[in-house]
Amino acid sequence: MTTTARTSTAAALSPSAHAITDSPLGPLTLVTREGGLAGVYMTQQRHLPSRETFGPQVAVTEIPVLARAAEQLTAYFAGEVTAFDIDLSTSGTPFQCRVWAALRDIPYGETVSYGELASALGRPTASRAVGLANGKNPHSIIVPCHRVVGADGSMTGYGGGVERKRWLLSFENGAHQPVLS
């Protein structure tokens, strides 16, 4: 399965609605805009947009893209899917959008370093810029920014917290993981 994305460089577009769904990592806020999934945010998310931009809260089943995202996330956490097939509504700079697109090419259960990702983008000296773009990924889990690690394989920052990054990577490698809150 693949994730499709509609990209916009207009970062000021406001989402139309949001819903909360449970996960082993704690509640996830799913945001929709323009018929696509605009964000998947964890509690205590770094770079969390203002909640006022999320639009009204709805039941996850009220909007098809939110229902589809919740279903696929549930299947992911059950070990039934390794990739997502969800229309994304993405706002970011052209460079951020390139980084986020490249993240979707990292296979399930594998990792790459920030430098390797920068090289894959044809910008081998841009590992810091890749790290900044990675940290602002609005689609946690679905666009797998957790699969990017330090050059030495170390657990570096993650928007949802390093403990969630460690959890996701261990989960993808077959380790049974406790529920986080």
Side-chain angles (χ1 to χ4, degrees), residues 77-92:
F77 287 119
E80 298 166 1
V81 300
T82 59
F84 297 89
D85 183 16
I86 299 170
D87 286 334
L88 302 178
S89 178
T90 304
S91 296

Side-chain angles (χ1 to χ4, degrees), residues 63-79:
I63 299 176
V65 74
L66 296 179
R68 185 173 176 88
E71 288 167 5
Q72 288 188 27
L73 284 162
T74 298
Y76 167 84
F77 287 119

Side-chain angles (χ1 to χ4, degrees), residues 103-124:
L103 293 172
R104 292 191 297 271
D105 292 333
I106 304 170
Y108 179 90
E110 295 183 24
T111 59
V112 300
S113 72
Y114 294 96
E116 289 169 327
L117 192 55
S119 291
L121 291 168
R123 306 267 312 269

